[in-house]
Amino acid sequence: MASIEDWKKAADKEVKGRNLIRQTPEGIAVKPLYTAEDVADIDPGLPGFAPFTRGVRASMYAGRPWTIRQYAGFSTAEESNAFYHRNLAAGQKGLSVAFDLATHRGYDSDHPRVTGDVGKAGVAIDTVEDMKILFDGIPLDRMSVSMTMNGAVIPILAFFIVAAEEQGVDQSLLDGTIQNDILKEFMVRNTYIYPPESSMRIVSDIIGHTSAHMPKFNSISISGYHMQEAGATQLQELAFTIADGKEYARAAMATGLDLDKFAGRLSFFFAIGMNFFMEVAKLRAARKLWHRVMTDLGAKDERSKMLRTHCQTSGVSLTEQDPYNNVIRTTVEAMAAALGGTQSLHTNALDEAIALPTDFSARIARNTQIVLQEETGITKVVDPLGGSYYVEALTQELYDKAWEIIERIETEGGMAKAVAAGWPKAMIEEASAARAARVDRGEDVIVGVNKYKLTDEDAIDILDVDNVAVREAQIRRIEQVKATRDEVACQKALDTLREGARGKANLLALAIEAARRRATLGEISGAMEDVFGRHGTEPTPVSGIYGGAHIGDARWSSLIEGIASIERRKGRKPRMLVAKMGQDGHDRGANLVSSAFGDLGFEVIAGPLFQTPKEVADLAIGADIDIVGVSSLAAGHRTLIPELIAHLRDAGRSDIRIVAGGVIPAQDYPFLRDAGVQGIFGPGTNLLDAAASILQLLGHNVPPKDIDEAAE
């Protein structure tokens, strides 16, 4: 029988002596072969038994498959309700609601700051009446509902409870999950409203109310998903998510709650990307880590130590280019989630790199899960990858490395203090910049983007939401609600909520009463904002990561010389404002552009989040900007960018050039160009190509083709 040494000799000969070990972005050295020696000291246990590495139920999918819970919501409550009914009829088992960004940020649809956001990236919810329409004909005592909401979590959950009451369903019967995970918002997604301390109080109040009155409802979904979407490695996502969960548990305990009374209703939410075995191992390591954390916190009930999770296939792995490849990507990711032991799953649609899904693409995404459950046989065996030398070794390596990060967080006072210090966010942004550099250099292959590219891309049909019509309809409903409510009772309830925010009353309980009195989402959020204030931050892009990966590249050097040439001509470096308008807080793209262009030598001003077009125009004029790069990821570009251009024109500064990048469908390019946009960079754009194009706009010709090839 051949030995390991025999194999090594044969493998080395086949690859001419090259090093076979590959270092992952997580810092894990992955070998080409794993054997029993690698898992000699590892006991993964059994499914349903501590530490739950192999699953939280003894029978897992052999007893019941994971829940198919598609994340959906767009336009109006009526449109979303119809979409839900179609999906439920076609085999979906639970609902997961996507809200628009105005709702996330606590603004009613009639607020002047949300003109481009209403109904564009989710459903607009302004009142209890909207929530009642959203679930019309859907029995809330028999349907599990997940709601991705963090900033305006108090009014949204209050509306849900009151809508159920008026459907005849007591809140004690409600089943589902509210995300309620504010720490990750301060790290990556940025749909916060209040400062961290006040936001953590809201988390605790919701845990307190639901543990007392809603025994079937998960009071928090601790989310790593948005971390990975922002560029975190799987290790960072794992460690920071578990640390967030520990912080929330401690915050609730600090209010006097018994850990074992609420811990069983805490749940998690992870992203599943294209690194197949890493994702499987991540979910297994997460369960083991959570068991350790809850044991250390003093949990006695084993159910308190079970990590139950929802997963969603990666959005950032989807590509605008050759989009039908996205069906393959989503299938691979869905299999990783299932083999890792998720409790529920959302599968992304093939067109979500550029727009909300159509019925056609949503059906394919949903059927991906149905096919996996019904046709593949992977639900028949519990933890089929358990015992794999590679998977078990990788699980342990992730566990150990994540625990090191968690211990660092503990020594610095916990996750809330770490988030306030900013180092987790910086780590994620550094990982994001490093990944972008690897993709742009072709070191990480993305099929159809940086390798195997199509000569011509075929257009696909996408869903287009008429933002103006949706907003007008929402405003009419707000006006109707306000005209028919008991105004005195409503204002009294809002005053009571305001006083409760100053004191220690449970804010969710007070908001439920305000919702019964038909206070709007903006009014409930505003009452708390009167006391807590509204939080804001300034972006601080990382430097040296993207540029460091290109040192010595001929093209990089050529671009730097182009910038120097402009500096000699103008007497200063070219000055660029990277702008985020509207209520879209997804800043990965903006941060990458700021980092890369700063490394090249541009003078970059990273604009604040949540700006109006007028605020961006004033900043651009005041800073004597040469070019404004608008980052758009939530479909507000058709409204906001023309308004920005108009403000600059009215101020006599049409010389300031406007370019746009991000999730912008190709069908919108002519509209934007007609409006005055001089460069458009869609998803997957190589940042060096973008820099070359922008230098041309500024009067310096740099060949947009890869001059590294020409140099060779």
Side-chain angles (χ1 to χ4, degrees):
M1 178 180 289
S3 68
I4 296 297
E5 289 305 315
D6 292 333
W7 174 85
K8 287 180 179 178
K9 289 177 184 178
D12 286 346
K13 183 177 180 181
E14 288 176 14
V15 296
K16 299 178 181 178
R18 289 182 305 191
N19 182 11
L20 298 176
I21 295 175
R22 297 291 181 263
Q23 196 79 10
T24 73
E26 291 79 14
I28 294 173
V30 175
K31 303 185 299 183
L33 179 69
Y34 285 77
T35 69
E37 294 177 3
D38 295 294
V39 296
D41 298 325
I42 299 172
D43 178 9
L46 291 169
F49 292 86
F52 308 110
T53 309
R54 301 193 64 189
V56 294
R57 299 285 181 233
S59 61
M60 285 300 289
Y61 307 146
R64 185 178 72 180
W66 67 87
T67 300
I68 300 172
R69 189 188 300 279
Q70 291 297 91
Y71 179 54
F74 56 90
S75 183
T76 62
E78 292 91 342
E79 290 282 347
S80 295
N81 175 262
F83 187 79
Y84 293 158
H85 278 285
R86 293 195 297 272
N87 276 10
L88 291 169
Q92 184 172 314
K93 299 301 182 184
L95 295 180
S96 184
V97 184
F99 298 95
D100 74 356
L101 290 165
T103 303
H104 273 288
R105 293 271 293 150
Y107 293 117
D108 287 335
S109 295
D110 58 0
H111 197 283
R113 299 194 75 88
V114 300
T115 54
D117 298 304
V118 177
K120 292 296 284 187
V123 60
I125 299 292
D126 295 306
T127 67
V128 167
E129 300 307 319
D130 289 331
M131 192 70 82
K132 289 172 66 177
I133 293 168
L134 187 66
F135 295 112
D136 184 41
I138 297 173
L140 293 178
D141 55 343
R142 286 180 281 142
M143 179 59 60
S144 174
V145 176
S146 173
M147 292 178 285
T148 301
M149 178 54 64
N150 302 284
V153 62
I154 288 283
I156 284 295
L157 189 50
F159 288 172
F160 179 65
I161 290 167
V162 173
E165 282 179 359
E166 297 184 9
Q167 201 185 82
V169 178
D170 187 77
Q171 60 183 302
S172 63
L173 301 176
L174 294 174
D175 185 6
T177 304
I178 190 82
Q179 192 163 98
N180 192 29
D181 175 10
I182 202 63
L183 285 175
K184 71 98 170 46
E185 298 295 334
F186 292 114
M187 276 194 283
V188 290
R189 191 162 170 258
N190 300 310
T191 55
Y192 44 69
I193 300 175
Y194 314 108
E197 184 177 353
S198 303
S199 298
M200 287 295 290
R201 175 195 167 174
I202 287 171
V203 171
S204 297
D205 280 3
I206 289 173
I207 292 173
H209 181 92
T210 54
S211 64
H213 303 288
M214 303 170 71
K216 299 170 63 179
F217 198 81
N218 298 324
S219 56
I220 190 168
S221 175
I222 304 146
S223 173
Y225 182 87
H226 303 98
M227 297 180 201
Q228 190 178 141
E229 291 291 282
T233 66
Q234 280 92 338
L235 172 62
Q236 291 167 351
E237 177 194 9
L238 172 61
F240 294 148
T241 304
I242 297 298
D244 279 352
K246 186 174 186 178
E247 190 80 356
Y248 293 133
R250 276 198 298 228
M253 292 166 68
T255 67
L257 291 174
D258 184 325
L259 179 60
D260 283 315
K261 288 291 193 295
F262 69 82
R265 304 316 303 176
L266 304 179
S267 67
F268 287 79
F269 174 28
F270 286 102
I272 304 294
M274 284 297 288
N275 193 337
F276 185 87
F277 290 104
M278 191 72 75
E279 294 293 4
V280 172
K282 181 185 75 182
L283 295 184
R284 302 171 96 252
R287 290 190 288 270
K288 188 174 179 180
L289 284 164
W290 188 241
H291 182 272
R292 181 173 180 177
V293 164
M294 295 306 282
T295 300
D296 289 350
L297 288 177
K300 301 293 189 293
D301 189 335
E302 286 299 294
R303 289 173 298 180
S304 300
K305 305 176 187 180
M306 293 179 181
L307 182 146
R308 296 159 298 107
T309 190
H310 172 71
C311 289
Q312 180 173 338
T313 60
S314 172
V316 78
S317 73
L318 304 179
T319 65
E320 178 187 36
Q321 300 88 339
D322 208 356
Y324 291 105
N325 289 337
N326 294 334
V327 177
I328 304 162
R329 294 184 177 103
T330 294
T331 303
V332 169
E333 292 165 353
M335 288 182 65
L339 293 173
T342 190
Q343 277 62 65
S344 64
L345 179 63
H346 165 91
T347 33
N348 286 331
L350 67 94
D351 47 3
E352 287 190 69
I354 50 177
L356 290 169
T358 62
D359 276 6
F360 170 78
S361 65
R363 178 175 177 270
I364 294 172
R366 181 188 62 251
N367 285 356
T368 299
Q369 296 194 55
I370 295 174
V371 169
L372 289 178
Q373 289 186 354
E374 301 290 347
E375 297 186 22
T376 65
I378 64 175
T379 61
K380 300 187 185 309
V381 175
V382 181
D383 188 27
L385 291 183
S388 157
Y389 298 143
Y390 177 37
V391 170
E392 297 296 357
L394 193 55
T395 298
Q396 187 65 38
E397 186 109 35
L398 278 171
Y399 172 88
D400 291 339
K401 286 185 175 294
W403 191 254
E404 289 176 8
I405 296 174
I406 292 168
E407 286 188 316
R408 175 188 170 184
I409 291 165
E410 286 300 295
T411 61
E412 297 186 18
M415 196 59 185
K417 289 186 178 178
V419 169
W423 65 263
K425 180 178 179 67
M427 281 181 67
I428 291 170
E429 291 187 5
E430 288 173 1
S432 177
R435 162 69 170 169
R438 292 195 303 272
V439 170
D440 285 354
R441 288 173 56 82
E443 295 164 4
D444 286 3
V445 172
I446 301 178
V447 174
V449 175
N450 63 3
K451 196 172 184 180
Y452 312 109
K453 292 186 283 188
L454 291 176
T455 304
D456 298 303
E457 295 276 356
D458 293 330
I460 62 171
D461 292 331
I462 64 168
L463 180 68
D464 186 27
V465 174
D466 185 345
N467 160 250
V468 174
V470 173
R471 186 167 187 259
E472 289 174 349
Q474 289 299 120
I475 290 172
R476 286 195 296 271
R477 187 172 293 148
I478 291 170
E479 291 171 344
Q480 182 180 14
V481 166
K482 288 183 176 181
T484 56
R485 70 189 183 187
D486 183 333
E487 192 64 29
V488 172
C490 178
Q491 293 304 322
K492 182 179 178 181
L494 288 170
D495 287 340
T496 302
L497 175 60
R498 218 171 269 113
E499 288 305 310
R502 292 190 182 98
K504 296 187 177 181
N506 188 286
L507 296 174
L508 178 56
L510 297 178
I512 291 169
E513 183 58 29
R516 292 185 183 118
R517 301 299 180 182
R518 288 326 191 247
T520 69
L521 176 134
E523 289 174 325
I524 293 172
S525 296
M528 292 185 288
E529 185 180 342
D530 289 343
V531 179
F532 299 148
R534 183 171 281 267
H535 184 68
T537 58
E538 295 286 336
T540 53
V542 299
S543 63
I545 304 296
Y546 186 90
H550 288 85
I551 291 174
D553 288 0
R555 191 172 191 206
W556 182 261
S557 300
S558 177
L559 290 168
I560 289 175
E561 173 52 36
I563 292 166
S565 175
I566 292 174
E567 184 176 5
R568 288 191 295 270
R569 190 177 75 241
K570 292 178 68 75
R572 63 167 174 80
K573 294 180 178 181
R575 194 170 289 153
M576 181 178 189
L577 169 62
V578 179
K580 290 287 293 183
M581 294 187 290
Q583 299 307 305
D584 169 30
H586 295 83
D587 59 356
R588 176 178 183 166
N591 290 338
L592 282 175
V593 170
S594 296
S595 295
F597 279 60
D599 287 352
L600 271 169
F602 279 81
E603 184 180 337
V604 175
I605 295 177
L609 296 174
F610 313 123
Q611 296 292 281
T612 65
K614 178 66 163 58
E615 288 166 343
V616 172
D618 289 344
L619 179 56
I621 293 167
D624 192 23
I625 292 295
D626 299 308
I627 191 160
V628 178
V630 178
S631 174
S632 176
L633 290 174
H637 51 270
R638 289 178 63 94
T639 302
L640 299 170
I641 295 178
E643 189 177 336
L644 167 62
I645 292 170
H647 283 303
L648 291 172
R649 183 183 61 242
D650 292 345
R653 290 303 310 270
S654 295
D655 60 302
I656 296 177
R657 294 167 173 83
I658 305 296
V659 298
V663 181
I664 302 175
Q667 69 186 37
D668 287 350
Y669 287 14
F671 172 85
L672 292 176
R673 290 189 180 110
D674 289 344
V677 175
Q678 293 179 277
I680 304 172
F681 307 100
T685 296
N686 186 300
L687 290 174
L688 300 191
D689 288 343
S693 297
I694 286 173
L695 285 177
Q696 287 181 321
L697 282 177
L698 297 176
H700 183 85
N701 288 325
V702 176
K705 299 297 183 183
D706 191 344
I707 66 172
D708 279 333
E709 294 180 6
E712 292 173 2

